[in-house]
Amino acid sequence: MALLILGVVAAALAVGYLAFYWSTQRALTFEVEKEIRLVQSNLKVFRNGLANEAERIAISNKAYASVLSEESNILLDEDLTPTPSIRGDRDIFVLLNREMKPLLTYRRDLPWHSEVFEEQLHNQLHDTMKELATQANTTQMKFRVPEPLRSHAPLALSMRDIVMVDGMIGLVTVAAITPSTEPPEGMPAVAGYLLWVRSLDIRSIRSFEDSTGLSEMFITLDKPQTDFQRVSLPLLRRNGETIANLSWKTTAASGAIFTNSWPYFLGTIGAILLMTVLILLRYIKMTDRILQNEADATHAALHDALSGLPNRTWFEIFAANVLWRDRQKQFITGIVFLDLDHFKQVNDSLGHTIGDEVIKLVAERLKAAINPEDRVARVSGDEFLLVLSQRTNVEEIIETCMYIEKMLSDAFKVEKHKILTTASMGVALSPAHGHELTALLRRADIALYEAKKLGRGRYVIFEKEMENSLQISREIEEDIKRALSANEFQNYYQPIMDATGKNILAAEALIRWNHPKKGLLPPAAFLPVAEESMLINRIGEWVLENAIKDGSSLDDVTMCVNVSPTQLRHPEFPELVNALLDKYQLEPARLELEVTEDVLINYSENVVEVIERLRSSGVKIALDDFGTGFSSLSYLRRDLFDKIKIDRSFINGAVADPKAREILASSISLGLRLGMLVCVEGVEEEEQKELLFTMDCPMMQGYLFSRPIPLGKFRLWRDDIHEERIPKPRKIRVAAVK
């Protein structure tokens, strides 16, 4: 873990440094590009000025006549050159005839240095001069404007280039010498050429510095090394060749920022980056909290938070596809129902924390014991489902079951405890025992029941004779009908507490059966049979009526009653609820009906209509066992529920497991952000209560506060809680008495 954290920190440092370097480089590049565009613009304006001046001189009748006559007394510096204010100290002017032979050369620093054209300029400007000659001789007369009307010379009869003269860079402008009016008949359109070389000397460079606001400009033949201090602009000849580079000191502040701050940045980047990442992660999650919560809750809805295995909903979808695929390819598929033997004893003797660790280790061993194409899911506390696919014979499935049996029989080491456990397995085969998943699950469950009857710690393959157990279900069904008539059922109540765990907000009604022979039976012993036989409606009505009746005697306590999907599908159910509320004079707001996500999986508009009618009458609707279904999140947007009750599987392991804790916090935040009350079920430890308090969970329920108890004991328990909250008389302040 230390190496992992070290690696993460090192990576964060590197990323932060590179990001800082990249951002300053981008900013520097942007500023440098602006400077380059500024220099290019000034250079272009400067060269346009040279070209305008050259064409002003060259496109004139006087220049045309003088050059054409090849007069020997041409005063180049006065008549055919720019004014002294425009000329540079080292400018070179050359008059060429039509054959591009120099007639006259003027150079201020080296007067009458006529060899400069032949020795240095001719070869460099050969292509440029040739191109200008072609253009000038084909230019239409429409470009000619009478000299008195011309404010500046057009740029149509000149060419530009850059040359190297005497080791210095010069900007060249070559203009064709033509008359400003129509040439005399029979006379050529071009008399010669005016060549003007402006040397980029110190005076020119300083002029650029003044006009651009830049400093430390100079010309260099070698490209300067790129850094944060200097910028260079290549000076390109007409043919695209780089002849030199114009370099200057950049005024961009970004380079200085990086240069001056990187030592300090490296010293503090670790802490700053860590805080920044945490803040960014928090705010990114806040900006997209609903979508993120939906993704987390969807994953949680299909996976067990403790073991990380898929849950029953995911398993049923996957197994149905596997059965269809294997049937097409004529493979044998095994559905295995696995239950850990005497696992309750582990929880009771060593505690749920140790039990949770055992579940995790069992999950790991099961995943290691099956083939890659197989899957295992956790469907309840110590129950698992496996699908063994792509088997060619039954012996392969038996071999896998034997291997699982051996793997789970080895002792588990948790903390200082050595825990021995075994597993009972019921196996149903496809196609031998059916093709549909529902039938195979039922028969695997029957086989599991048979394995337990035979002494546990074994696997049993389903046989037809085992279905005699259905007779047992029928007997239970008849017994339930008798119990309803004999009034053998009783409501137990479990309190729902506020965030502090000291105030009772509500009580959930949980049915028990006082069986004359079997004693007190929990709901799991008879409700599954009741659901299959449709007796669940009668039982549900009994629980609802008695909860409303008991609630009328419990002031300020909301009565929470579980409602089955079949009850909600009945269109007259809202009328039944309202009639019972009127009968026992209970305010509708003190009745909360809890529905499971099975209602949403089998969604219909009729169910939505019933829920909306109940809510319109003032009755509250809670979504029970939130997160264990498949498609609940899409229905939260329908505004059907006043409260969500987060399933106990979310709080299991949340104290020690950061991922489970984050999923729990996301689920609570999702409900609160959607404007609903949130209650977490299964709170059994003080640490869990404290954790929920830090998550701003408004309601909680679990054995930490009380197990489900009869009404009489519930009243006594509530009175005890109330008395504990009342200070002793000697400590009561007069101002606090109300």
Side-chain angles (χ1 to χ4, degrees), residues 83 176 233 290 297 310 356 457 546 559 566 575 699 712 716-717:
T83 59
L233 173 67
I290 297 297
D356 290 345
N546 282 271
M559 305 306 293
T566 56
E575 284 73 20
M699 307 174 76
L716 294 175
W717 184 86

Side-chain angles (χ1 to χ4, degrees), residues 30-66:
F30 178 76
E31 294 183 69
V32 166
E33 287 176 351
K34 288 178 60 178
E35 290 185 358
I36 291 175
R37 288 194 297 270
L38 176 64
V39 173
Q40 288 176 330
S41 176
N42 277 269
L43 188 60
K44 182 178 180 180
V45 170
F46 181 72
R47 299 192 73 178
N48 285 346
L50 297 178
N52 287 338
E53 184 67 11
E55 289 199 4
R56 182 190 66 78
I57 298 170
I59 305 176
S60 68
N61 292 335
K62 179 178 180 181
Y64 178 81
S66 299

Side-chain angles (χ1 to χ4, degrees), residues 678-696:
V678 178
C679 176
V680 175
E681 300 176 300
V683 179
E684 299 179 358
E685 301 172 1
E686 188 69 24
E687 292 83 359
Q688 294 174 337
K689 186 190 79 170
E690 297 299 329
L691 175 63
L692 293 175
F693 184 81
T694 64
M695 293 179 179
D696 296 327

Side-chain angles (χ1 to χ4, degrees), residues 595 600 603 607-609 611-612 615 620-622 635-643 676:
V595 300
L600 305 178
Y603 161 80
V607 172
V608 173
E609 181 184 352
I611 292 177
E612 290 175 344
R615 294 189 70 204
K620 299 176 182 178
I621 304 295
Y635 295 95
L636 293 181
R637 299 182 301 221
R638 295 290 301 268
D639 194 28
L640 299 176
F641 307 103
D642 303 286
K643 182 171 75 176
M676 293 185 289

Side-chain angles (χ1 to χ4, degrees), residues 69-99:
S69 63
E70 299 187 3
E71 296 177 1
S72 59
N73 59 345
I74 297 176
L75 297 177
L76 188 63
D77 58 326
E78 295 180 0
D79 299 329
L80 299 180
T81 61
T83 59
S85 62
I86 298 177
R87 284 179 287 178
D89 295 336
R90 300 175 62 85
D91 284 6
I92 300 173
F93 299 92
V94 181
L95 285 178
L96 304 170
N97 60 17
R98 293 177 59 196
E99 289 74 25

Side-chain angles (χ1 to χ4, degrees), residues 316-421:
E316 290 178 353
I317 297 172
F318 178 81
N321 293 329
V322 168
L323 288 170
W324 179 86
R325 184 193 63 204
D326 283 3
R327 186 166 65 250
Q328 299 297 317
K329 297 181 179 180
Q330 298 183 346
F331 284 124
I332 296 176
T333 309
I335 300 296
V336 181
F337 216 133
L338 185 147
D339 184 84
L340 297 179
D341 298 327
H342 308 296
F343 183 73
K344 185 176 183 298
Q345 297 179 4
V346 177
N347 283 332
D348 293 343
S349 61
L350 300 179
H352 288 281
T353 301
I354 300 298
D356 290 345
E357 291 300 319
V358 173
I359 291 295
K360 292 179 182 178
L361 294 175
V362 168
E364 292 177 3
R365 292 190 185 183
L366 287 175
K367 288 190 293 185
I370 60 178
N371 295 342
E373 63 272 10
D374 302 334
R375 291 295 184 274
V376 57
R378 184 186 180 213
V379 295
S380 68
D382 59 348
E383 292 182 343
F384 298 84
L385 276 173
L386 297 93
V387 55
L388 310 178
S389 63
Q390 299 185 28
R391 301 307 200 272
T392 58
N393 52 66
V394 178
E395 286 70 21
E396 292 181 3
I397 293 179
I398 293 176
E399 182 181 346
T400 302
C401 291
M402 293 175 64
Y403 185 60
I404 292 174
E405 184 179 322
K406 179 182 179 301
M407 290 277 287
L408 296 184
S409 63
D410 294 338
F412 294 94
K413 293 182 180 179
V414 180
E415 296 182 359
K416 298 180 180 179
H417 305 284
K418 186 176 181 181
I419 302 170
L420 295 172
T421 185

